[in-house]
Amino acid sequence: MISSFTFIFANAPLTALLQTVIPNQIQGRVLSLLNMIMALAAPVGLMVAKPLGEWLGLRGLFVSVGILSGLVAFSGFASYHLRNLEERKLNN
């Protein structure tokens, strides 16, 4: 539950940021590439999750991954460069 909740806070701003920064002509290609990379990362994540799930237990794995993904997602909001990316684009 925590990991699903934090995924929303990471994915929605990333998509909005990409739509703001990337020219309209190539947005479809870039978003498709992003989806492909995320889909390719799924098997690797499952290979890592199996031993961690056995070591931490399933509940511990979901809670720890949820907390970790939340920290990563909210670190984007704390990043000066990401918050001012749109202004830097307008100035160029």
Side-chain angles (χ1 to χ4, degrees):
M1 169 117 172
I2 295 171
S3 61
S4 299
F5 184 71
T6 56
F7 177 76
I8 295 168
F9 282 102
N11 195 31
L14 175 65
T15 304
L17 179 70
L18 290 175
Q19 288 175 339
T20 303
V21 174
I22 297 171
N24 292 338
Q25 300 85 358
I26 61 170
Q27 278 184 10
R29 286 177 249 170
V30 171
L31 293 174
S32 295
L33 180 65
L34 177 66
N35 286 335
M36 183 187 69
I37 291 170
M38 288 195 301
L40 288 173
V44 175
L46 290 173
M47 286 190 293
V48 171
K50 183 184 183 309
L52 282 176
E54 291 175 355
W55 182 58
L56 293 172
L58 192 57
R59 180 177 294 157
L61 177 67
F62 274 103
V63 170
S64 60
V65 168
I67 291 170
L68 182 63
S69 64
L71 291 173
V72 170
F74 289 120
S75 69
F77 291 111
S79 171
Y80 173 78
H81 295 292
L82 285 178
R83 283 186 288 135
N84 296 319
L85 190 62
E86 188 174 337
E87 291 174 12
R88 286 191 292 158
K89 180 189 172 210
L90 293 174
N91 291 334
N92 289 337

